[in-house]
Amino acid sequence: GAGVSQSPSNKVTEKGKDVELRCDPISGHTALYWYRQSLGQGLEFLIYFQGNSAPDKSGLPSDRFSAERTGGSVSTLTIQRTQQEDSAVYLCASSGGQGRGYEQYFGPGTRLTVT
Amino acid sequence: AQSVTQPDIHITVSEGASLELRCNYSYGATPYLFWYVQSPGQGLQLLLKYFSGDTLVQGIKGFEAEFKRSQSSFNLRKPSVHWSDAAEYFCAVHTSGTYKYIFGTGTRLKVLA
Protein backbone atom coordinates (compact mmCIF):
# COMPACT_ATOMS: atom_id res chain seq x y z
CA GLY A 1 0.00 0.00 0.00
CA ALA A 2 0.96 3.65 -0.27
CA GLY A 3 3.12 5.15 2.41
CA VAL A 4 3.13 8.65 3.81
CA SER A 5 3.53 11.24 1.09
CA GLN A 6 4.56 14.86 1.37
CA SER A 7 4.54 17.72 -1.06
CA PRO A 8 6.36 19.59 -2.29
CA SER A 9 9.64 17.73 -1.87
CA ASN A 10 11.54 20.99 -2.08
CA LYS A 11 10.40 24.56 -1.53
CA VAL A 12 12.44 27.72 -1.93
CA THR A 13 10.77 30.88 -0.75
CA GLU A 14 11.68 34.45 -0.02
CA LYS A 15 11.80 35.75 3.50
CA GLY A 16 8.43 37.10 4.55
CA LYS A 17 6.35 34.89 2.27
CA ASP A 18 3.88 32.27 3.50
CA VAL A 19 4.31 28.58 2.69
CA GLU A 20 2.08 25.53 2.93
CA LEU A 21 3.42 22.03 3.31
CA ARG A 22 1.18 19.05 2.73
CA CYS A 23 1.13 15.59 4.26
CA ASP A 24 -0.97 12.65 3.15
CA PRO A 25 -0.83 9.92 5.82
CA ILE A 26 -1.35 6.21 5.46
CA SER A 27 -5.01 5.44 5.06
CA GLY A 28 -6.63 4.51 8.36
CA HIS A 29 -3.92 5.95 10.56
CA THR A 30 -5.46 8.03 13.31
CA ALA A 31 -2.36 9.85 14.50
CA LEU A 32 -0.38 12.35 12.45
CA TYR A 33 2.78 14.16 13.45
CA TRP A 34 4.86 17.02 12.15
CA TYR A 35 8.55 17.34 12.95
CA ARG A 36 11.29 19.76 11.96
CA GLN A 37 14.81 18.58 11.29
CA SER A 38 17.44 21.28 11.01
CA LEU A 39 20.93 20.63 9.70
CA GLY A 40 22.84 18.53 12.19
CA GLN A 41 19.92 18.45 14.61
CA GLY A 42 17.57 15.74 15.71
CA LEU A 43 13.87 15.75 15.19
CA GLU A 44 12.00 18.61 16.78
CA PHE A 45 8.39 17.80 17.54
CA LEU A 46 5.98 20.42 16.21
CA ILE A 47 2.40 19.17 16.47
CA TYR A 48 0.33 16.03 16.47
CA PHE A 49 -3.23 15.14 15.67
CA GLN A 50 -5.05 12.14 17.11
CA GLY A 51 -8.44 11.29 15.71
CA ASN A 52 -11.00 13.95 16.55
CA SER A 53 -9.17 15.16 19.64
CA ALA A 54 -7.76 18.65 19.93
CA PRO A 55 -4.23 18.69 18.47
CA ASP A 56 -1.18 18.94 20.67
CA LYS A 57 0.44 22.16 19.47
CA SER A 58 3.02 22.34 22.22
CA GLY A 59 5.97 22.09 19.84
CA LEU A 60 5.09 24.92 17.48
CA PRO A 61 7.95 27.43 17.79
CA SER A 62 5.90 30.58 17.21
CA ASP A 63 2.46 31.79 16.24
CA ARG A 64 3.66 31.99 12.66
CA PHE A 65 3.29 28.22 12.54
CA SER A 66 -0.08 26.52 12.30
CA ALA A 67 -1.43 23.22 11.09
CA GLU A 68 -4.73 21.65 10.32
CA ARG A 69 -5.96 18.22 9.48
CA THR A 70 -9.03 17.97 7.33
CA GLY A 71 -11.40 15.02 7.55
CA GLY A 72 -8.98 13.11 9.72
CA SER A 73 -6.68 12.59 6.78
CA VAL A 74 -4.57 15.14 4.90
CA SER A 75 -2.70 17.72 6.95
CA THR A 76 -1.28 21.10 6.00
CA LEU A 77 1.47 22.88 7.91
CA THR A 78 1.49 26.62 7.27
CA ILE A 79 4.34 28.95 8.03
CA GLN A 80 3.52 32.63 7.76
CA ARG A 81 6.04 35.39 7.16
CA THR A 82 8.88 32.90 6.79
CA GLN A 83 12.25 33.64 8.32
CA GLN A 84 15.65 32.24 7.41
CA GLU A 85 15.73 30.22 10.62
CA ASP A 86 12.69 28.32 9.33
CA SER A 87 14.91 26.64 6.75
CA ALA A 88 14.84 22.94 7.56
CA VAL A 89 13.41 19.62 6.48
CA TYR A 90 9.83 19.19 7.64
CA LEU A 91 8.86 15.59 8.25
CA CYS A 92 5.42 14.16 8.58
CA ALA A 93 4.65 10.80 10.16
CA SER A 94 1.52 8.81 10.82
CA SER A 95 0.73 6.05 13.24
CA GLY A 96 -2.05 3.55 13.60
CA GLY A 97 -2.22 4.06 17.33
CA GLN A 98 -2.21 1.76 20.32
CA GLY A 99 -3.67 -1.27 18.68
CA ARG A 100 -1.08 -1.33 15.96
CA GLY A 101 2.15 -1.06 17.83
CA TYR A 102 2.68 2.68 18.06
CA GLU A 103 5.36 2.79 15.39
CA GLN A 104 5.49 5.81 13.16
CA TYR A 105 5.75 5.78 9.41
CA PHE A 106 7.58 8.75 7.99
CA GLY A 107 7.21 10.60 4.75
CA PRO A 108 10.25 11.67 2.71
CA GLY A 109 10.04 15.24 3.99
CA THR A 110 9.85 18.71 2.50
CA ARG A 111 13.09 20.64 2.35
CA LEU A 112 12.29 24.30 2.94
CA THR A 113 14.83 26.97 2.07
CA VAL A 114 14.12 30.58 2.97
CA THR A 115 16.28 33.07 1.09
CA ALA B 1 10.56 15.31 31.77
CA GLN B 2 11.29 12.43 29.50
CA SER B 3 14.45 12.63 27.43
CA VAL B 4 16.58 10.57 25.13
CA THR B 5 20.35 10.87 24.92
CA GLN B 6 22.55 9.63 22.14
CA PRO B 7 26.00 10.52 23.40
CA ASP B 8 27.85 9.84 20.16
CA ILE B 9 27.26 12.43 17.46
CA HIS B 10 29.55 10.74 14.94
CA ILE B 11 30.92 7.22 14.75
CA THR B 12 33.30 5.83 12.14
CA VAL B 13 33.86 2.12 11.70
CA SER B 14 35.50 -0.03 9.08
CA GLU B 15 33.38 -2.26 6.91
CA GLY B 16 33.07 -5.66 8.53
CA ALA B 17 33.67 -4.33 12.03
CA SER B 18 31.11 -4.55 14.80
CA LEU B 19 28.97 -1.60 15.76
CA GLU B 20 27.28 -0.37 18.91
CA LEU B 21 25.29 2.85 19.06
CA ARG B 22 24.32 4.08 22.48
CA CYS B 23 20.96 5.31 23.65
CA ASN B 24 19.89 6.28 27.15
CA TYR B 25 16.46 7.44 28.18
CA SER B 26 14.93 9.12 31.13
CA TYR B 27 11.48 7.89 32.06
CA GLY B 28 9.93 6.52 35.22
CA ALA B 29 8.21 3.50 33.75
CA THR B 30 9.24 1.17 30.96
CA PRO B 31 8.76 3.09 27.75
CA TYR B 32 8.29 1.86 24.26
CA LEU B 33 11.66 2.11 22.52
CA PHE B 34 12.56 2.45 18.87
CA TRP B 35 15.52 2.77 16.59
CA TYR B 36 15.10 4.49 13.24
CA VAL B 37 17.57 4.91 10.39
CA GLN B 38 17.71 7.82 7.99
CA SER B 39 19.75 7.29 4.86
CA PRO B 40 20.89 10.36 2.90
CA GLY B 41 17.91 12.06 1.29
CA GLN B 42 15.48 9.54 2.72
CA GLY B 43 12.80 9.55 5.33
CA LEU B 44 13.17 7.65 8.57
CA GLN B 45 12.75 3.88 8.51
CA LEU B 46 12.02 1.75 11.55
CA LEU B 47 14.83 -0.70 12.36
CA LEU B 48 13.35 -2.29 15.46
CA LYS B 49 11.20 -1.67 18.50
CA TYR B 50 10.82 -2.87 22.07
CA PHE B 51 7.56 -2.93 23.97
CA SER B 52 7.92 -5.74 26.48
CA GLY B 53 9.15 -9.30 26.88
CA ASP B 54 12.51 -10.46 25.65
CA THR B 55 14.98 -7.65 26.19
CA LEU B 56 17.00 -8.53 23.09
CA VAL B 57 15.11 -7.56 19.97
CA GLN B 58 15.97 -8.31 16.39
CA GLY B 59 15.36 -5.86 13.60
CA ILE B 60 15.83 -5.48 9.91
CA LYS B 61 19.16 -5.35 8.10
CA GLY B 62 20.86 -7.53 10.74
CA PHE B 63 20.48 -5.03 13.59
CA GLU B 64 19.59 -5.90 17.15
CA ALA B 65 19.13 -3.91 20.34
CA GLU B 66 19.13 -4.78 23.99
CA PHE B 67 16.95 -3.12 26.60
CA LYS B 68 18.68 -2.80 29.98
CA ARG B 69 16.33 -1.42 32.60
CA SER B 70 19.04 -1.02 35.22
CA GLN B 71 21.03 1.22 32.89
CA SER B 72 18.05 2.91 31.19
CA SER B 73 19.67 1.99 27.93
CA PHE B 74 18.63 0.61 24.57
CA ASN B 75 21.84 0.22 22.57
CA LEU B 76 21.81 -0.76 18.93
CA ARG B 77 24.27 -3.36 17.67
CA LYS B 78 25.35 -5.03 14.48
CA PRO B 79 28.06 -7.70 14.36
CA SER B 80 29.41 -6.78 10.91
CA VAL B 81 28.79 -3.40 9.31
CA HIS B 82 28.24 -3.00 5.59
CA TRP B 83 29.05 0.14 3.61
CA SER B 84 25.33 0.61 2.98
CA ASP B 85 24.77 1.07 6.72
CA ALA B 86 26.25 4.57 6.51
CA ALA B 87 23.37 6.74 7.66
CA GLU B 88 22.02 8.61 10.65
CA TYR B 89 20.46 6.61 13.45
CA PHE B 90 17.85 7.89 15.85
CA CYS B 91 16.70 6.40 19.10
CA ALA B 92 13.16 7.27 20.16
CA VAL B 93 10.97 6.81 23.19
CA HIS B 94 7.22 6.59 23.24
CA THR B 95 5.62 6.99 26.61
CA SER B 96 2.48 5.01 27.25
CA GLY B 97 -0.79 6.87 27.52
CA THR B 98 0.08 9.48 24.93
CA TYR B 99 0.99 9.51 21.29
CA LYS B 100 4.04 11.67 21.77
CA TYR B 101 7.50 10.45 20.77
CA ILE B 102 10.80 11.84 21.95
CA PHE B 103 13.79 11.49 19.67
CA GLY B 104 17.47 11.62 20.40
CA THR B 105 19.67 13.96 18.41
CA GLY B 106 20.99 11.14 16.29
CA THR B 107 24.29 9.40 15.60
CA ARG B 108 25.82 9.73 12.18
CA LEU B 109 27.59 6.56 11.10
CA LYS B 110 30.42 6.59 8.59
CA VAL B 111 31.71 3.32 7.18
CA LEU B 112 35.23 3.04 5.84
CA ALA B 113 35.89 0.66 2.97
Side-chain angles (χ1 to χ4, degrees), chain B residues 5-18:
Chain B
T5 301
Q6 292 181 247
D8 304 305
I9 299 173
H10 298 279
I11 282 186
T12 300
V13 299
S14 297
E15 190 170 20
S18 64

Side-chain angles (χ1 to χ4, degrees), chain B residues 10-113:
Chain B
H10 298 279
I11 282 186
T12 300
V13 299
S14 297
E15 190 170 20
S18 64
L19 173 70
E20 182 169 29
L21 303 182
R22 296 183 290 166
C23 173
N24 292 95
Y25 66 90
S26 170
Y27 181 59
T30 300
Y32 299 145
L33 297 158
F34 304 82
W35 275 100
Y36 286 85
V37 61
Q38 186 179 33
S39 299
Q42 307 280 321
L44 276 74
Q45 180 184 21
L46 180 69
L47 282 176
L48 47 78
K49 60 188 178 185
Y50 172 79
F51 289 169
S52 64
D54 193 348
T55 56
L56 184 64
V57 293
Q58 302 297 320
I60 62 171
K61 305 184 180 187
F63 285 91
E64 65 178 26
E66 185 172 12
F67 169 61
K68 293 186 177 180
R69 184 191 306 275
S70 61
Q71 299 177 17
S72 297
S73 69
F74 188 56
N75 294 350
L76 182 71
R77 302 194 295 245
K78 186 169 185 178
S80 178
V81 170
H82 187 263
W83 64 266
S84 61
D85 293 325
E88 189 150 23
Y89 292 79
F90 292 93
C91 181
V93 164
H94 183 199
T95 56
S96 61
T98 79
Y99 285 87
K100 205 163 185 176
Y101 294 74
I102 301 168
F103 283 80
T105 52
T107 297
R108 186 169 295 277
L109 174 65
K110 182 177 180 179
V111 180
L112 301 176

Side-chain angles (χ1 to χ4, degrees), chain A residues 38-50:
Chain A
S38 303
L39 188 64
Q41 303 294 312
L43 273 70
E44 176 188 6
F45 166 79
L46 295 177
I47 186 170
Y48 84 76
F49 299 87
Q50 169 53 30

Side-chain angles (χ1 to χ4, degrees), chain A residues 21-25 32 34 49 68-76:
Chain A
L21 312 180
R22 176 189 167 105
C23 173
D24 206 334
L32 186 148
W34 283 99
F49 299 87
E68 63 176 20
R69 188 177 185 191
T70 54
S73 181
V74 172
S75 177
T76 302

Side-chain angles (χ1 to χ4, degrees), chain A residues 79-112:
Chain A
I79 308 173
Q80 296 178 310
R81 304 181 303 282
T82 52
Q83 304 294 313
Q84 289 187 330
E85 60 263 29
D86 300 334
S87 297
V89 175
Y90 290 82
L91 294 169
C92 174
S94 70
S95 171
Q98 183 169 358
R100 303 185 193 184
Y102 288 104
E103 62 187 270
Q104 295 182 102
Y105 296 82
F106 283 82
T110 293
R111 181 175 298 277
L112 175 66

